[in-house]
Amino acid sequence: MSEHADTAHPALRHHFDDLNQQHAAGTLGMWFFLVTEILFFGPLFFTYALFRSGSLDPSFQNAFIAASHHQNITLGLTNTIVLIASSLTVALGVYFAQTNKKKPLVLMLVLTLLCGVAFLVIKGIEYNQHFAHHLFPGQGFHWDGAPELARGGQMFYILYFCMTGLHAFHMVIGIGIFIYILMRAMRNDFSSDYYVPIEVSGLYWHFVDIVWIFLFPMLYLIDPASKH
Amino acid sequence: MSKKKTYEAEDFSHHVTSMGTYFAIFAALMVLTALTVWVAFQDFGSLNVPIAFAIATVKATVVVLFFMHVIHSPKMTAAILVGSIVFLGILFLLTFSDYLSRFWPMA
Amino acid sequence: MTTDAIDSAQTPRHEEGTNYINAEYGLLSWLFTIDHKRIAILYMISVTALFFVGGIFALLLRLELMTPQGDLFTSDTYNKLFTLHGVVMIFFFLIPAVPSVLGNFILPLQLGARDLAFPKINLLSWYLYVIGALMGVVVMLLGGVDTGWTFYTPFSTTYSNTWVVPTVLAGFIAGFSSILTGLNFIVTIHKMRAPGLTWFRLPLMVWALYGTSLIQLLATPVLGIALLLIAVERLWQVGIFNPALGGDPILFQHLFWFYSHPAVYIMILPAMGVISEVIACFSRRKIFGYKFVAFSSLAIAFLGFLIWAHHLFVAGISVYSAMIFSFLTMFVAVPSAIKTFNWTSTLYKGSVSYEAPMLYALGFIGMFLIGGLTGLFLATLGIDIHVHDTYFVVAHFHYVMVGSVIMAYFAGIHYWWPKMTGRMYPEWWARLAALLVFVGFNLTFFPQFLLGYLGMPRRYHAYVPEFQVLNVMSTAGATILGAGYLLPLIYFVWALKYAPRASANPWGASGLEWHTPSPPTTHNFEDTPTVTWEAYDEKAWLKEAEKNV
């Protein structure tokens, strides 16, 4: 690719020499942002590990199992599949942008957004069930299991709401980003020369997917067989 | 004099991953998801947690390598990722060093 | 004299052309600018305002402590004063001061780049900073917060009746400003260096900012979560950190200090970068042991993550864990000492001149030495148990944060002032201010080492009468220090209009920032420079300069 062709590209920002430099900077920037994200979710994972391991209070081990029995595995599994499917559509979106296929690209972006919204709707249904069962932590929390497990059960739901809430917040941001990407795709902004905004937004989306990949077994699948 | 760029721009790869690869990865992720659920209902004793964690890690690695194209990216990308996990590991390791030894008897 | 040679060699082609200051006019052209230099100026103005707010709190504290009785403020008011002093000074002054003001201005210039990698994100991070700072100001107007800047639980989550949630959210937002700055810097350093500017030709300021950015990216999000969890715990009335509800207050301290200890290095590392630049310039020598100084920045950034629990020695953590943290803490002394030795070795046989930046830099070395070595006292378990929560700790961290970081910030402001504004500053007044700061600072804080060693606890508005002499000394010193900080504000404003114009390179310094006119044009360089010399290599650089005549 010659430098002259690059310089002429309308998407080239003034402070970069060529599109290659601009793309490299954008991609690297997103990766460093994901570093921050890893250390943003990380302490919650640590807090979860600390309480679930029973290092502070051994009764929390059983409390977490009992609390997770209130989780709806079917809905959790559905959401996992929806989210992984959305990761596939994002990846295919990058592929169609790289190969200059606009219509499939737009389709993939629309599918991604639909998956994202579907995830949030299902999450909302779950939250609604938790509220109905008084599982939201705080004054209204009601524990119908063994009373000695109540504190640990509430701790599980504090972490559940913090982690899934933060994750859902990232989903909302991701949907916003992909609405913007979709509008640009429909405006014919992207081509095999210039697709990095999709790639970079995709990195964020995949990261949010990975967080869920870990959250699913942590929050839904703690010894489900022991539920009677 | 030819102006050589030092900003590592050659590190940017325009590799195109094929559709077939993407679908294969998706299929693998679905199988691993099914495996996660199946494993959770089995009783492996104290191994259940490590197994669940291992499967999730494999899934995450697959996503990172193929969907996020790390396998075709400069080594720097993988280094950044591993580096951040190392620092998260420091958080886990050193903080647990407190909690796990807090009730040890004094010598 | 070399200065003249460099000046004539580097006279810009457009002598009276436009520059970044006069390129556009009007308030909006500043508020919506994406020029890193203008954003740096925005940061400078806002950071200075917050510095004086925090300074007023400090003076009020010192005023109360002139007498042993708690006569000026109630203990509640005193709690709020030291909390606001800490919150403002740390989150809204020290963290952004050197990176966001000096780094923002100088980093792209030193790299030969036209701007930072993400100019809009740079502006966004200033706005986030302003939103955070305004929230802090609103909290002050509403009646303040009394938890201490550390927000220790369960007091902050359960018992305090002050504005904890808005304050932690202000810190959270300011944290994101810091993260985005770090992100911008790190990508810029990786991807936007001028041709020929290899890693080992980078000025040491760039290495220092690189280390700083790594910490900002890796540590700040942990603080973000810790602060969010405080808000969650307060708003939902749950007990992640409350032992009565099964939580653990020390968990908060772990998460908080996982950020807040490395945060000390967010403050000190770029300050060390400034000192390396100033010492190399005013000793007219290549910095001694360049690679050691460069790598010591990364070593400090890394080791800074292994030692946070030395703040928790008496908080109830495991004794075994405390031993590990005590041991690891000692290691930070190594790269810090490497830097100090290399700076002093640079001075040796250098042709040293004592302009104001150099006076601040020399002051920095002394203050950092005292601050750093007393840190080793505190890292030692036995001594820490004795002096924990006394004025010894207060003196120690003020030697590092005020004596070192603010000294370096002032060194940097004076050093790059001609580049930033195109004007010199009044040298005599600047030297006087440097002297006042040095004397005032030591008079304020050295007595506090003695007070702490004698057992005066921190954070009380009253004390036993035998401590009064040392406290009066400290308050007297604070007054001198205050004058020393006010003086530059006056003469810098004066200098904007009346000081003589600065040439492109008034100090005869090396580094790409001196290859542009003062002040630089909006795009920094007319042609992207090609670097063929090693860092601080004055001779090779001069030859280069002569070639350009």
Side-chain angles (χ1 to χ4, degrees):
Chain A
M1 202 184 311
S2 83
E3 262 186 58
H4 268 280
D6 277 344
T7 321
H9 199 285
L12 180 68
R13 306 286 317 279
H14 76 90
H15 56 295
F16 289 114
D17 290 342
D18 51 41
L19 271 184
N20 233 11
Q21 187 189 23
Q22 181 172 332
H23 291 165
T27 317
L28 191 70
M30 180 48 88
W31 276 106
F32 274 116
F33 182 72
L34 294 185
V35 167
T36 285
E37 289 281 20
I38 288 173
L39 278 118
F40 196 57
F41 279 97
L44 286 176
F45 280 76
F46 173 79
T47 309
Y48 173 93
L50 178 67
F51 286 124
R52 182 175 164 190
S53 67
S55 306
L56 282 164
D57 183 342
S59 77
F60 277 24
Q61 285 178 325
N62 286 328
F64 270 47
I65 294 172
S68 76
H69 287 162
H70 292 282
Q71 296 285 77
N72 188 328
I73 296 178
T74 318
L75 289 182
L77 179 64
T78 313
N79 254 351
T80 309
I81 294 168
V82 165
L83 214 47
I84 293 177
S86 76
S87 262
L88 174 70
T89 56
V90 167
L92 290 173
V94 172
Y95 170 81
F96 289 125
Q98 284 173 325
T99 49
N100 285 319
K101 289 178 181 131
K102 185 195 162 189
K103 271 186 188 163
L105 165 64
V106 169
L107 176 68
M108 285 306 137
L109 294 175
V110 170
L111 284 177
T112 305
L113 284 169
L114 286 178
C115 284
V117 171
F119 178 91
L120 287 177
V121 169
I122 293 172
K123 198 75 235 154
I125 294 170
E126 281 184 85
Y127 280 170
N128 209 25
Q129 291 178 353
H130 296 315
F131 278 111
H133 296 120
H134 302 286
L135 289 169
F136 187 78
Q139 301 298 315
F141 185 80
H142 176 72
W143 181 254
D144 51 12
E148 70 272 16
L149 298 182
R151 288 200 323 189
Q154 174 155 309
M155 193 64 80
F156 175 87
Y157 275 98
I158 295 169
L159 288 168
Y160 168 81
F161 276 101
C162 284
M163 294 171 111
T164 58
L166 193 65
H167 179 266
F169 176 74
H170 278 78
M171 290 293 296
V172 172
I173 301 283
I175 288 172
I177 292 171
F178 270 91
I179 289 175
Y180 169 72
I181 292 289
L182 175 65
M183 284 180 349
R184 289 189 68 181
M186 296 200 297
R187 224 168 49 196
N188 275 326
D189 274 8
F190 301 119
S191 64
S192 58
D193 284 343
Y194 183 69
Y195 62 88
V196 169
I198 310 175
E199 166 86 20
V200 167
S201 315
L203 290 178
Y204 173 85
W205 190 273
H206 295 308
F207 170 79
V208 178
D209 182 17
I210 288 174
V211 171
W212 185 260
I213 285 176
F214 281 97
L215 288 183
F216 175 54
M218 281 164 61
L219 299 174
Y220 291 81
L221 299 174
I222 315 177
D223 199 5
S226 66
K227 185 179 182 180
H228 30 264
Chain B
M1 194 188 93
S2 72
K3 278 198 171 182
K4 193 193 173 301
K5 296 190 180 71
T6 54
Y7 54 70
E8 306 157 25
E10 66 279 8
D11 284 359
F12 187 76
S13 137
H14 284 274
H15 181 90
V16 181
T17 309
S18 73
M19 273 217 276
T21 311
Y22 285 138
F23 279 107
I25 295 304
F26 177 71
L29 287 170
M30 287 295 112
V31 170
L32 286 166
T33 304
L35 190 65
T36 309
V37 178
W38 179 79
V39 157
F41 282 92
Q42 311 307 310
D43 184 9
F44 295 107
S46 58
L47 286 179
N48 270 74
V49 175
I51 291 173
F53 188 76
I55 298 174
T57 308
V58 171
K59 285 166 78 178
T61 311
V62 167
V63 172
V64 164
L65 286 180
F66 295 97
F67 282 177
M68 298 169 88
H69 306 129
V70 166
I71 200 161
H72 297 293
S73 301
K75 286 199 183 72
M76 176 78 192
T77 313
I80 292 169
L81 195 61
V82 172
S84 56
I85 291 165
V86 166
F87 279 90
L88 187 59
I90 291 172
L91 172 75
F92 272 70
L93 189 75
L94 285 180
T95 316
F96 263 121
S97 85
D98 167 23
Y99 286 102
L100 297 182
S101 65
R102 204 179 274 180
F103 304 108
W104 284 4
M106 299 276 208
Chain C
M1 197 180 149
T2 51
T3 316
D4 297 330
I6 294 162
D7 275 348
S8 58
Q10 287 303 301
T11 305
R13 271 167 277 173
H14 300 291
E15 182 64 46
E16 286 303 313
T18 53
N19 55 51
Y20 81 98
I21 299 172
N22 65 16
E24 279 180 285
Y25 288 100
L27 186 64
L28 290 183
S29 78
W30 284 86
L31 290 180
F32 292 104
T33 183
I34 51 168
D35 180 351
H36 69 100
K37 299 179 288 302
R38 285 183 159 220
I39 294 170
I41 300 295
L42 292 175
Y43 263 116
M44 182 151 77
I45 295 166
S46 34
V47 155
T48 307
L50 270 291
F51 175 61
F52 282 100
V53 172
I56 287 167
F57 288 127
L59 280 177
L60 292 176
L61 293 173
R62 284 314 321 165
L63 215 53
E64 164 66 71
L65 292 172
M66 265 177 63
T67 54
Q69 306 80 25
D71 38 17
L72 191 55
F73 303 113
T74 63
S75 49
D76 277 342
T77 310
Y78 186 84
N79 289 350
K80 289 178 180 172
L81 286 176
F82 72 68
T83 302
L84 291 171
H85 168 68
V87 168
V88 168
M89 283 303 202
I90 288 174
F91 292 120
F92 301 118
F93 177 71
L94 286 164
I95 297 275
V98 186
S100 298
V101 179
L102 297 174
N104 231 328
F105 194 95
I106 226 66
L107 179 70
L109 290 170
Q110 287 190 325
L111 295 175
R114 287 188 285 281
D115 205 325
L116 288 173
F118 311 112
K120 285 180 191 160
I121 288 181
N122 196 20
L123 183 65
L124 173 67
S125 72
W126 181 70
Y127 274 103
L128 288 175
Y129 168 82
V130 170
I131 292 168
L134 285 178
M135 281 179 74
V137 171
V138 168
V139 167
M140 288 170 211
L141 297 177
L142 289 174
V145 59
D146 66 350
T147 58
W149 79 277
T150 49
F151 307 112
Y152 269 13
T153 56
F155 180 70
S156 62
T157 51
T158 314
Y159 303 107
S160 173
N161 292 317
T162 52
W163 298 90
V164 177
V165 173
T167 315
V168 296
L169 290 181
F172 181 83
I173 293 168
F176 265 84
S177 157
S178 176
I179 289 173
L180 293 179
T181 302
L183 179 75
N184 229 330
F185 283 6
I186 212 164
V187 174
T188 309
I189 296 170
H190 268 287
K191 296 293 174 193
M192 300 184 71
R193 304 193 304 276
L197 192 56
T198 56
W199 283 93
F200 291 115
R201 288 176 177 176
L202 290 172
L204 288 165
M205 178 75 180
V206 177
W207 280 95
L209 286 172
Y210 191 86
T212 309
S213 308
L214 279 180
I215 305 173
Q216 286 175 313
L217 286 174
L218 287 163
T220 318
V222 178
L223 173 79
I225 277 298
L227 295 181
L228 277 188
L229 288 179
I230 283 196
V232 163
E233 185 157 335
R234 245 184 115 83
L235 295 174
W236 296 355
Q237 315 220 327
V238 292
I240 307 161
F241 303 128
N242 187 347
L245 296 169
D248 181 29
I250 297 176
L251 174 63
F252 173 77
Q253 299 186 20
H254 275 300
L255 298 180
F256 180 83
W257 288 109
F258 184 86
Y259 165 76
S260 293
H261 191 75
V264 175
Y265 302 109
I266 296 180
M267 306 170 203
I268 195 78
L269 264 180
M272 290 166 156
V274 172
I275 296 305
S276 298
E277 298 295 306
V278 171
I279 297 233
C281 170
F282 293 101
S283 311
R284 317 267 146 210
R285 277 194 71 193
K286 264 173 84 167
I287 204 96
F288 184 85
Y290 171 90
K291 282 193 182 175
F292 283 92
V293 182
F295 280 122
S296 65
S297 289
L298 298 187
I300 289 175
F302 175 70
L303 290 171
F305 280 94
L306 304 179
I307 62 181
W308 74 85
H310 64 217
H311 296 267
L312 279 61
F313 283 163
V314 298
I317 61 165
S318 132
V319 181
Y320 299 96
S321 186
M323 287 179 200
I324 296 172
F325 277 105
S326 173
F327 179 71
L328 290 171
T329 303
M330 303 291 173
F331 279 98
V332 186
V334 176
S336 309
I338 286 175
K339 279 186 191 288
T340 314
F341 286 134
N342 281 300
W343 290 324
T344 38
S345 307
T346 309
L347 297 174
Y348 178 67
K349 286 188 178 171
S351 104
V352 180
S353 58
Y354 297 97
E355 280 86 352
M358 189 62 163
L359 291 183
Y360 281 110
L362 294 174
F364 173 98
I365 296 180
M367 301 301 90
F368 180 67
L369 196 69
I370 296 176
L373 289 178
T374 50
L376 287 181
F377 293 23
L378 292 168
T380 315
L381 276 170
I383 300 177
D384 186 68
I385 288 166
H386 177 63
V387 294
H388 182 83
D389 261 347
T390 69
Y391 268 84
F392 193 89
V393 178
V394 175
H396 156 69
F397 71 72
H398 279 87
Y399 261 82
V400 177
M401 292 183 189
V402 185
S404 309
V405 177
I406 300 184
M407 282 274 205
Y409 177 65
F410 273 69
I413 289 285
H414 285 85
Y415 179 60
W416 282 303
W417 179 262
K419 184 55 60 187
M420 296 170 100
T421 63
R423 301 269 183 179
M424 299 304 289
Y425 57 83
E427 188 62 45
W428 190 86
W429 286 101
R431 289 180 189 183
L432 178 70
L435 196 68
L436 283 179
V437 168
F438 185 81
V439 171
F441 174 80
N442 280 293
L443 189 57
T444 311
F445 291 103
F446 201 83
Q448 297 188 5
F449 276 126
L450 306 176
L451 284 168
Y453 190 74
L454 294 171
M456 179 172 167
R458 63 193 284 208
R459 293 184 167 179
Y460 286 91
H461 72 146
Y463 54 87
V464 289
E466 47 264 51
F467 291 146
Q468 190 172 10
V469 175
L470 288 168
N471 269 299
V472 170
M473 283 169 73
S474 183
T475 303
T479 316
I480 299 173
L481 189 60
Y485 286 149
L486 214 52
L487 197 54
L489 186 71
I490 297 165
Y491 65 69
F492 274 142
V493 172
W494 176 87
L496 282 178
K497 204 157 173 155
Y498 302 106
R501 287 189 186 279
S503 60
N505 188 358
W507 309 122
S510 98
L512 285 180
E513 75 264 37
W514 306 107
H515 288 225
T516 60
S518 304
T521 56
T522 301
H523 294 303
N524 294 351
F525 298 93
E526 288 174 40
D527 307 303
T528 302
T530 304
V531 178
T532 53
W533 57 91
E534 299 304 310
Y536 306 106
D537 202 339
E538 201 80 25
K539 278 183 194 158
W541 191 79
L542 262 175
K543 245 185 253 167
E544 186 71 17
E546 276 154 20
K547 224 165 44 186
N548 290 345
V549 174

